[in-house]
Amino acid sequence: MTKTVIIGTNHAGLAAANAILDHSGQEVVMIERNENFSYLSCGTALWVGRQIESVDGLFYTNREDFEAKGAKVRTKTTVENIDFEGKVVHAVTQQGEKVEESYDKLVLATGSVPISPKVPGRELKNITFMKKYEEGQNIDQMFEHEEIKNIAVIGAGYIGVEMAEAAKRRGKNVLLFDALDRCLPSYYDPWFTDDMDKNLAEHGIELHYGELVKEYKGTDKVEQIITEKGEYEVDLVINAIGFSPNNQLAKDHLELFANGAYLVDRHQQTSDPDVYAVGDCATVYSNALQGTTYIALASNALRTGRVAGENIVGNSIESPGVQGSNGISIFGHHMVSTGYSVESAAKFDLDVKYTDIEDTQKPEFMKENDDVKLRIVYEANSRRIVGAQMSSTTSDISMAIHMFSLAIERQVTIDELGMLDTFFLPHFNQPYNYINKAALAAE
Ligand SMILES: Cc1cc2nc3c(=O)[nH]c(=O)nc-3n(C[C@H](O)[C@H](O)[C@H](O)COP(=O)(O)OP(=O)(O)OC[C@H]3O[C@@H](n4cnc5c(N)ncnc54)[C@H](O)[C@@H]3O)c2cc1C
Ligand SMILES: NC(=O)C1=CN([C@@H]2O[C@H](COP(=O)(O)OP(=O)(O)OC[C@H]3O[C@@H](n4cnc5c(N)ncnc54)[C@H](O)[C@@H]3O)[C@@H](O)[C@H]2O)C=CC1
């Protein structure tokens, strides 16, 4: 009987536990410092912005599901340290009781922690992050109060843009700050983010780009934000300037990636053969980069958790690697991307070209139509596709990006895409689909 201890039971830890518990003869202990399980943080902005009726649906499992499969589940229990020689995990419960668990195999699924801007006044009340369920609940309750009028969101990445929309949907004044000169810089080129910035501004969100917070001012609660460009009255600050891997428990024992994530191979194994790392605390293999990188996404957490679990029970499977596919929809403006944008490719020294198209999805003669914008990024010498970005204000384009994700994984070239068999039916497509057209136009 192999005994596996899993530290952290959110998306990655749960996926690993499920993969192991699907096989007999396994002992699994799951340790989690929070009380709740499997919270889909992506729903926070939807709930706070009242786009969904309740938060209840944002939990997709619970401890009873895992106990029914024979796992021992320790919630409200924080792992304090790990004896890697003796293979023993030391933890403490919220009541202060010391517990320890020996292990044959260990899965680190401790996720990520929000990056906190080190500015004076950050300890004032009404300055919050947006990672945990409780933080989302707290923001939601504060939005109930009339006097909470001016909301500053620091960071115009995924969380920041989604929370800015949520606050605006609740009738608040919203100031959105970012260190860079646009929103969503990690995954999209300006050709796309300019449209999103226009969409945000048209919905009354005040954009403060290229503006760094220097200080928070107030007596007990935050009242003002000071930047190098001005001073702003605020009642609530939401910090969303990125995550860093939570490597607290093993940073002195395991090999680390440049940003501190646990370095893992394609089996999710760390430099200690009995220790696996999954989700936001670990690296991933990028098929676009053809190398190791760090991409914190729930989609990666689920897949890496499963790969680790399968390897622990003896199925020596390899991760197929990832493309960092992602999407966002703000006031009905949909954007999806996979792999690298032109700007992010440059950061990774990928020498790329790109081809763009703006088109309608159906023939002009159709009464109703959908707009679509597509950029395909490909490596200059190999001509293999390394990225794609798409947007539409009228239709769901998410399925198309999955095709580009597979194309990157399988190293399809831009020339192969030009003659890809895409069906023609006026209700859906033109005789030459916009994907074919963009690829055929590639230089
Ligand atoms: C607001 C928001 C919206 C998001 N939206 C999306 C989205 O739409 N799509 C997407 O793909 N991704 C999204 N993400 C990112 C996604 O949530 C993360 O990539 C995902 O949660 C990573 O899962 P994980 O299990 O690796 O880590 P985490 O979710 O960070 O979970 C780690 C767990 O480990 C526990 N833990 C840590 N240390 C200890 C310890 N010492 N002892 C015991 N327990 C410990 C923590 O309490 C936590 O429960 C969003 C994130 C946020 C914050
Ligand atoms: N739809 C989706 O797929 C979603 C994914 N996520 C994931 O969760 C993780 C965390 O999301 P975010 O916190 O939004 O990170 P992010 O990396 O997407 O955005 C962080 C933003 O903060 C800015 N920034 C950095 N330092 C700053 C500073 N000092 N002052 C002002 N701005 C600063 C950056 O320029 C960037 O625009 C990301 O990995 C993201 O992929 C989160 C929400 C939704």
Side-chain angles (χ1 to χ4, degrees):
M1 173 89 89
T2 303
K3 178 179 176 184
T4 301
V5 173
I6 299 174
I7 305 174
T9 61
N10 208 15
H11 308 315
L14 296 171
N18 272 324
I20 297 168
L21 292 164
D22 285 349
H23 299 79
S24 60
Q26 300 290 332
E27 184 184 354
V28 172
V29 178
M30 302 160 74
I31 306 177
E32 167 55 50
R33 66 185 170 197
N34 289 337
E35 184 169 12
N36 53 54
F37 241 50
S38 77
Y39 178 60
L40 285 168
S41 319
C42 48
T44 306
L46 294 175
W47 161 242
V48 172
R50 295 294 182 268
Q51 294 190 70
I52 54 175
E53 292 309 312
S54 144
V55 283
D56 298 344
L58 296 178
F59 295 91
Y60 56 80
T61 185
N62 54 44
R63 62 175 304 147
E64 290 73 21
D65 289 349
F66 287 87
E67 286 168 337
K69 292 183 184 176
K72 182 200 288 183
V73 182
R74 290 178 176 279
T75 53
K76 297 192 282 186
T77 302
T78 300
V79 172
E80 292 185 312
N81 59 66
I82 303 163
D83 167 5
F84 290 98
E85 285 307 303
K87 297 173 81 173
V88 178
V89 169
H90 297 277
V92 61
T93 68
Q94 265 177 10
Q95 290 68 38
E97 182 208 347
K98 297 280 185 191
V99 294
E100 51 184 65
E101 291 285 353
S102 64
Y103 65 83
D104 298 313
K105 298 295 177 191
L106 178 67
V107 178
L108 296 170
T110 52
S112 52
V113 286
I115 299 167
S116 164
K118 305 276 177 281
V119 292
R122 64 181 177 279
E123 67 292 332
L124 286 167
K125 285 187 189 145
N126 291 3
I127 298 176
T128 181
F129 291 100
M130 248 295 292
K131 168 102 176 145
K132 290 188 217 139
Y133 164 68
E134 293 73 14
E135 289 165 335
Q137 287 302 84
N138 177 39
I139 291 170
D140 182 59
Q141 278 141 29
M142 293 183 76
F143 277 11
E144 289 297 310
H145 302 290
E146 282 294 306
E147 66 276 19
I148 299 287
K149 282 197 290 286
N150 301 315
I151 314 297
V153 179
I154 315 298
Y158 266 113
I159 296 177
V161 167
E162 289 178 344
M163 280 314 288
E165 177 193 28
K168 184 46 72 181
R169 284 177 181 272
R170 291 283 289 275
K172 304 297 181 184
N173 298 328
V174 184
L175 296 82
L176 179 60
F177 291 81
D178 201 286
L180 301 181
D181 60 357
R182 63 195 180 94
C183 71
L184 300 165
S186 315
Y187 302 93
Y188 298 92
D189 287 320
W191 192 46
F192 288 86
T193 55
D194 291 352
D195 297 340
M196 183 56 86
D197 283 333
K198 185 163 164 287
N199 176 39
L200 291 166
E202 281 169 355
H203 284 89
I205 291 167
E206 220 179 274
L207 304 180
H208 292 265
Y209 291 160
E211 202 167 338
L212 277 173
V213 176
K214 293 288 175 219
E215 185 183 356
Y216 296 115
K217 274 191 168 168
T219 38
D220 172 41
K221 293 185 282 195
V222 65
E223 293 158 21
Q224 269 187 340
I225 283 188
I226 316 296
T227 75
E228 76 273 28
K229 292 185 184 167
E231 299 184 7
Y232 309 93
E233 298 300 312
V234 292
D235 303 304
L236 174 66
V237 175
I238 300 172
N239 273 309
I241 65 168
F243 287 167
S244 58
N246 178 359
N247 63 10
Q248 202 49 44
L249 292 174
K251 62 179 185 293
D252 301 326
H253 174 66
L254 299 177
E255 267 180 63
L256 302 179
F257 188 57
N259 76 333
Y262 299 127
L263 204 55
V264 293
D265 62 15
R266 303 281 286 261
H267 301 278
Q268 300 306 129
Q269 232 164 355
T270 66
S271 49
D272 176 334
D274 290 323
V275 182
Y276 293 75
V278 296
D280 279 9
C281 69
T283 54
V284 285
Y285 180 82
S286 159
N287 288 308
L289 182 63
Q290 307 255 296
T292 298
T293 190
Y294 181 74
I295 305 175
L297 286 168
S299 40
N300 294 343
L302 293 174
R303 288 159 178 75
T304 53
R306 179 148 206 93
V307 167
E310 289 296 337
N311 278 277
I312 285 172
V313 299
N315 298 342
S316 177
I317 63 168
E318 273 203 345
S319 156
V322 300
Q323 285 65 251
S325 296
N326 65 85
I328 190 163
S329 179
I330 300 291
F331 298 117
H333 186 95
H334 314 303
M335 280 173 33
V336 288
S337 83
T338 187
Y340 288 106
S341 63
V342 173
E343 286 211 357
S344 51
K347 287 196 193 110
F348 290 94
D349 295 330
L350 282 172
D351 175 19
V352 298
K353 293 183 177 177
Y354 63 92
T355 173
D356 288 350
I357 187 167
E358 278 191 274
D359 201 354
T360 57
Q361 297 194 30
K362 306 165 197 165
E364 293 295 338
F365 57 74
M366 293 299 283
K367 282 201 189 112
E368 290 183 10
N369 218 318
D370 292 305
D371 64 296
V372 63
K373 200 173 192 180
L374 163 65
R375 168 168 289 179
I376 310 172
V377 185
Y378 56 100
E379 200 172 43
N381 54 17
S382 69
R383 297 178 71 75
R384 71 181 173 94
I385 293 164
V386 294
Q389 303 155 68
M390 297 177 65
S391 71
S392 175
T393 59
T394 57
S395 81
D396 170 357
I397 41 175
S398 60
M399 288 303 123
I401 209 72
H402 299 324
M403 188 273 304
F404 282 108
S405 178
L406 183 62
I408 296 168
E409 185 185 306
R410 298 297 160 87
Q411 302 191 44
V412 172
T413 68
I414 190 71
D415 309 302
E416 289 167 326
L417 206 57
M419 295 305 280
L420 171 70
D421 170 13
T422 52
F423 76 85
F424 167 54
L425 181 77
H427 292 272
F428 297 106
N429 268 328
Q430 298 191 43
Y432 265 114
N433 173 287
Y434 55 87
I435 295 170
N436 299 123
K437 286 191 212 171
L440 289 169
E443 57 176 35

